[in-house]
Amino acid sequence: MPQANNELINTASREDIDQWVAKYPADKKQSAVMAALRIVQDQNGCWLTTELMDAVADYLDMDKIHVYEVATFYSMYEHKPLGKHKICVCTNISCMVCGSGEIVAHLEDKLDIKMGETTEDNRFTLKEVECLGACSGAPMMQIGENYYENLDAEKIDTILDGLK
Amino acid sequence: MANEVCFRTLHLDEPWTLESYLSVGGYQSLKKILTEKIPAEDIIEQVKTSALRGRGGAGFPTGLKWSFMPRHSEGQKYIVCNSDEGEPGTCKDRDILRYNPHQLIEGMAIAGYCIGADTGYNYIRGEFWEPYSRFDNALKEAREAGYLGDKLFGSDFNFDAHSHLGGGAYICGEETALLESIEGKKGQPRFKPPFPAGFGLYGKPTTINNTETLASIPVIVEKGAQWFLEHGKPNNGGTKLFSVSGNLKRPGNYEIDMGTPFSELLEMCGGMKDGYKLKAVIPGGSSSPVIPGEQMMDVTMDYDSIQAAGSMLGSGAVIILDDNVCMVNALARLSHFYQEESCGQCTPCREGTGWISHIMHRIEHGYGKQEDIDLLDKVAGDIMGRTICALGEAASMPVKGFLKDYRDEFQYHIDHKKCMVGPGSK
């Protein structure tokens, strides 16, 4: 297969991936595949293309099928374009008991989209997620790397208004 | 007493720094072991005596697990920390990583010494970016200060640790799925035997322990097995972190003595929020059977007492269900979770969790049939004991638990096509 594929991975991403590769035994580069997929996904904005997955396979000397398996098994890898901000709302038991239903309703109403959809201006995507491990701060959501806990409608408005 | 073990830095400003950890006696247990050349067998005995059991949910005796390792055999061995915290209701390991990461590193190093491993990996769930950053910074601080690296404290013991970030999969909390995931594969559990102590990460002998388990080790070594054991009751030694969630005045993580009455824990949380009454408790994470509130008031927070009440201490996630919660709605949500998270490898789990979720969905939405209640019970029973890992049991036990004590609410849903209690009853 053409090695040109892995030129899709930019220099900064390669350096980042190399730091992960260094954590594992020299003959176990495949261990860095989860990190590599996350890094190229971020490089691409928010989602993985087949070309990017192939580039990761080339870079880590893996069969493409094994990269696809990982990329489709874990929920944090996306396979279609999303809005600039992915809003992950937990609706599992602790959040549900503490009113995640109202949080979802408020977000859907405010953004005029349903869960799983993206706003027309491509700024926001709403995603329902399973327990994110912040249950004593329920109800909660995640945007980017940040957790937002003890949510109510007013707090959500402030958070969304504060996003660039 | 509270916050004496994993949370012992919590009262400090920036409790996660090396400076904070050193101020409470950090890395002194590792130093003592290495400079006084205490044999690994003695430490393993001490951990056995302390009665420390796996804090991730399974409750397996930690010292016994360590003793399975072929520590004298040549070749690479690994210690792996399981910070893939994902059991609904559980949020304690997140706070250890955020507020006391150095104690976990010291615990991993001591475990490494005991099992003959010079390398450790900490598997942190992918969504935990802040906890991961704190832990990774702590690794850097520890390396620079000489608490990780070669010839620690002048001994011939070398140890280093690394973090590995997950990608969003509950199943990776299962120890062999976690190993597959570190190897860069789908997180599907391995058939056992062979057990990880014989064939673990990259096929090498490996011990996997939960974050809270490993973070407890430095304090057990420092204060002694007896001290730890006495914080609790016979067969239920030590302190435990309880993640309490629900409509309480002060939900949160509480590190308390094992054997503390549930009623006291409830008081620590300030009791129920005004306008809410205690209905039931899921005492050990979403996989543990629900216990009615009045029965729970007589239970103490330890393995034996919760087991006698028909449930499990599990991960220590105490989910409080109030009088507004419809039990059909609650089980429908949990069943959806297990269907989503089944890895698909074993037919009884892959198909069974789907069946349970679909049946729960139709009961919840008013399309339930009379025979559905018995069918739920049968499907749940048919999964149990027929799968490679415990996810099948984890999906089935809540079904059995909810049906045992709240069958009337399921019947009401089928008869009236609406909830018996809560907002959905109107």
Side-chain angles (χ1 to χ4, degrees):
Chain A
M1 293 303 292
Q3 286 299 303
N5 255 341
N6 72 29
E7 286 167 16
L8 286 171
I9 307 176
N10 69 30
T11 311
S13 296
R14 283 163 188 247
E15 284 172 6
D16 203 356
I17 295 169
D18 290 347
Q19 288 190 8
W20 283 88
V21 170
K23 294 180 177 194
Y24 310 102
D27 61 339
K28 304 294 179 192
K29 270 164 62 174
Q30 182 174 343
S31 283
V33 66
M34 293 176 71
L37 286 169
R38 176 175 49 77
I39 290 161
V40 299
Q41 175 167 280
D42 288 350
Q43 178 196 309
N44 192 41
C46 55
W47 66 295
L48 291 167
T49 60
T50 305
E51 290 75 18
L52 279 170
M53 291 188 281
D54 291 349
V56 166
D58 277 352
Y59 198 70
L60 296 176
D61 299 324
M62 289 173 65
D63 291 336
K64 288 175 185 173
I65 183 66
H66 293 142
V67 176
Y68 302 162
E69 279 185 350
V70 170
T72 53
F73 185 84
Y74 298 93
S75 66
M76 291 173 75
Y77 303 119
E78 302 291 347
H79 297 275
K80 59 179 177 36
L82 306 180
K84 185 178 178 192
H85 302 288
K86 176 166 74 169
I87 304 174
C88 299
V89 190
C90 175
T91 58
N92 210 308
I93 186 87
S94 300
C95 285
M96 185 192 96
V97 167
C98 293
S100 64
E102 287 145 46
I103 300 302
V104 169
H106 181 71
L107 280 164
E108 288 185 338
D109 187 44
K110 184 180 168 71
L111 300 175
D112 199 22
I113 51 172
K114 292 288 176 197
M115 292 302 259
E117 295 178 352
T118 300
T119 54
E120 267 183 31
D121 62 2
N122 284 321
R123 270 178 55 76
F124 299 104
T125 297
L126 280 179
K127 184 175 180 177
E128 182 179 37
V129 294
E130 296 301 344
C131 182
L132 292 181
C135 317
S136 54
M140 67 81 65
M141 65 182 182
Q142 179 173 26
I143 306 175
E145 293 170 357
N146 300 314
Y147 275 27
Y148 299 93
E149 301 175 44
N150 301 305
L151 295 174
D152 56 34
E154 199 183 337
K155 205 167 166 179
I156 287 174
D157 291 348
T158 312
I159 293 162
L160 295 199
D161 292 347
L163 292 173
K164 285 175 192 156
Chain B
M1 288 293 287
N3 299 346
E4 285 186 275
V5 181
C6 297
F7 275 2
R8 65 175 168 159
T9 55
L10 209 58
H11 61 288
L12 301 169
D13 280 343
E14 302 199 327
W16 53 85
T17 64
L18 178 59
E19 193 186 347
S20 292
Y21 188 51
L22 293 176
S23 77
V24 297
Y27 290 107
Q28 293 307 302
S29 293
L30 180 64
K31 183 181 178 186
K32 182 180 154 104
I33 291 168
L34 295 178
T35 53
E36 295 178 16
K37 298 186 170 45
I38 302 175
E41 288 80 359
D42 291 6
I43 308 292
I44 294 174
E45 270 316 303
Q46 212 177 337
V47 174
K48 281 184 185 169
T49 308
S50 77
L52 177 65
R53 290 164 64 169
R55 301 300 199 219
F60 193 82
T62 306
L64 187 61
K65 195 184 229 185
W66 288 7
S67 70
F68 295 152
M69 285 291 281
R71 57 177 309 277
H72 293 298
S73 72
E74 289 294 309
Q76 184 68 53
K77 294 179 266 305
Y78 293 105
I79 175 76
V80 172
C81 177
N82 184 347
S83 297
D84 191 42
E85 184 168 59
E87 173 79 4
T90 319
C91 52
K92 65 192 178 64
D93 298 335
R94 174 180 178 231
D95 279 359
I96 294 175
L97 294 167
R98 291 200 297 170
Y99 301 127
N100 201 4
H102 280 285
Q103 192 160 314
L104 174 58
I105 295 171
E106 187 179 7
M108 288 177 74
I110 294 172
Y113 173 80
C114 290
I115 64 171
D118 66 0
T119 305
Y121 289 101
N122 184 15
Y123 190 104
I124 302 172
R125 64 176 296 172
E127 296 89 343
F128 275 180
W129 193 264
E130 184 196 25
Y132 155 73
S133 302
R134 289 263 172 86
F135 182 77
D136 230 42
N137 276 332
L139 286 176
K140 285 193 193 88
E141 281 186 312
R143 276 188 206 115
E144 283 164 14
Y147 298 121
L148 287 174
D150 289 345
K151 302 201 176 304
L152 297 176
F153 297 103
S155 71
D156 55 6
F157 176 62
N158 306 330
F159 187 80
D160 201 0
H162 309 278
S163 39
H164 181 101
L165 267 176
Y170 168 72
I171 191 61
C172 290
E174 197 281 339
E175 62 178 12
T176 58
L178 185 151
L179 297 179
E180 289 285 301
S181 187
I182 297 182
E183 292 182 5
K185 302 172 191 160
K186 291 183 289 180
Q188 291 191 317
R190 296 176 183 169
F191 200 83
K192 293 188 273 192
F195 292 94
F199 187 94
L201 183 61
Y202 308 124
K204 308 293 182 191
T206 302
T207 293
I208 303 111
N209 290 127
N210 166 258
T211 313
E212 184 186 353
T213 311
L214 287 168
S216 302
I217 297 293
V219 177
I220 293 172
V221 172
E222 179 193 322
K223 300 194 173 168
Q226 208 55 39
W227 176 89
F228 190 74
L229 189 58
E230 282 164 10
H231 277 267
K233 55 189 223 187
N235 198 36
N236 295 271
T239 56
K240 173 84 190 81
L241 279 167
F242 291 100
S243 303
V244 195
S245 62
N247 284 304
L248 299 149
K249 288 194 177 124
R250 288 189 302 275
N253 284 313
Y254 293 85
E255 184 170 54
I256 54 173
D257 290 355
M258 202 89 84
T260 302
F262 167 75
S263 56
E264 276 182 35
L265 180 60
L266 195 59
E267 267 174 46
M268 287 178 211
C269 298
M272 301 300 290
K273 262 187 199 166
D274 293 337
Y276 293 90
K277 286 198 192 91
L278 175 68
K279 176 176 181 175
V281 179
I282 302 177
S286 64
S287 311
S288 63
V290 63
I291 300 179
E294 62 272 22
Q295 189 187 349
M296 199 63 200
M297 294 307 274
D298 298 325
V299 170
T300 59
M301 300 307 290
D302 56 80
Y303 295 101
D304 293 344
S305 180
I306 296 178
Q307 194 175 352
S311 190
M312 304 187 314
L313 179 100
S315 60
V318 182
I319 305 164
I320 305 292
L321 305 180
D322 57 72
D323 54 343
N324 276 308
V325 177
C326 164
M327 298 311 225
V328 175
N329 192 3
L331 183 59
R333 183 62 189 86
L334 290 179
S335 300
H336 174 71
F337 166 72
Y338 290 108
Q339 183 195 10
E340 284 282 309
E341 300 298 337
S342 171
C343 81
Q345 190 172 212
C346 310
T347 309
C349 173
R350 182 185 65 242
E351 302 300 319
T353 54
W355 272 76
I356 291 173
S357 180
H358 288 143
I359 299 165
M360 282 310 304
H361 187 268
R362 71 176 179 237
I363 298 177
E364 162 71 6
H365 289 90
Y367 300 100
K369 296 177 265 187
Q370 185 54 47
E371 58 268 32
D372 278 349
I373 299 180
D374 287 338
L375 184 59
L376 266 180
D377 195 45
K378 179 173 178 355
V379 174
D382 284 350
I383 298 173
M384 296 177 95
R386 293 182 172 87
T387 55
I388 288 175
C389 85
L391 192 140
E393 262 80 17
S396 304
M397 284 186 296
V399 175
K400 298 265 179 190
F402 275 97
L403 286 180
K404 176 172 160 278
D405 287 304
Y406 297 97
R407 200 180 177 100
D408 55 334
E409 290 196 31
F410 289 74
Q411 189 62 53
Y412 191 93
H413 250 273
I414 289 168
D415 294 342
H416 299 90
K417 306 188 187 313
K418 62 177 185 176
C419 306
M420 195 163 114
V421 297
S425 63
K426 290 162 189 114

